[in-house]
Amino acid sequence: NDGWNADGSINRNGDGPCTANCRPYSDTTGYEPEIGDLDRWQPLEEQNGKGFFYKYDHVVPHIGFTARTKFTSRETLRDRSSPNPDYDYDVETQLVIDRLEELASDDRQKMLVEFFDNKLSVGVSILLA
């Protein structure tokens, strides 16, 4: 067991072997979001404007509870902190509005946003490059 479930041999609850529909790097924690609990990760629901709704799944594997970090300790990761960025939200809001105005009139930029929004396609493109 590498802690990442790289071969897909661990079941969804992490308490035994996977016997059907085994997927490499699949979740072994049994995690289910608690709707409304904003302290826990929530899947982002989006829609295409035509009645099709979908939620994001994680693209990267969970490190699990048995994997070991290679370059730093778990304590270092858990205890890290950063200074308050002290954003000027009025300026940041205006920057977003300006960028959206630019995007609305640039078909090439819109196409790039749509392409790069699909993380799996980007990953495959990188691997095939």
Side-chain angles (χ1 to χ4, degrees):
N1 178 3
D2 63 357
W4 295 86
N5 198 22
D7 61 1
S9 63
I10 306 171
N11 70 18
R12 174 153 172 67
N13 295 322
D15 58 4
C18 180
T19 57
N21 300 319
C22 305
R23 296 180 304 169
Y25 298 106
S26 58
D27 178 31
T28 60
T29 65
Y31 179 84
E32 293 290 335
E34 292 182 21
I35 304 304
D37 184 351
L38 300 181
D39 290 330
R40 296 181 56 148
W41 179 83
Q42 301 289 313
L44 176 63
E45 183 176 82
E46 295 198 36
Q47 51 98 8
N48 69 354
K50 299 176 183 170
F52 179 76
F53 293 84
Y54 55 97
K55 292 184 180 182
Y56 281 105
D57 289 324
H58 285 295
V59 177
V60 296
H62 182 277
I63 194 171
F65 299 106
T66 58
R68 297 184 192 268
T69 54
K70 300 286 185 189
F71 303 106
T72 188
S73 70
R74 286 189 182 259
E75 291 77 25
T76 300
L77 291 172
R78 186 178 45 248
D79 297 338
R80 67 184 177 183
S81 64
S82 60
N84 183 348
D86 195 30
Y87 292 120
D88 182 337
Y89 289 109
D90 292 331
V91 170
E92 296 296 327
T93 302
Q94 190 57 50
L95 283 171
V96 169
I97 292 169
D98 293 344
R99 289 177 186 143
L100 286 173
E101 285 176 351
E102 288 177 30
L103 179 64
S105 62
D106 188 338
D107 289 336
R108 180 177 179 277
Q109 286 291 88
K110 283 189 240 180
M111 186 243 353
L112 288 171
V113 167
E114 288 176 12
F115 173 77
F116 285 108
D117 189 45
N118 186 335
K119 307 305 184 261
L120 293 175
S121 291
V122 172
V124 169
S125 298
I126 291 170
L127 289 174
L128 296 177

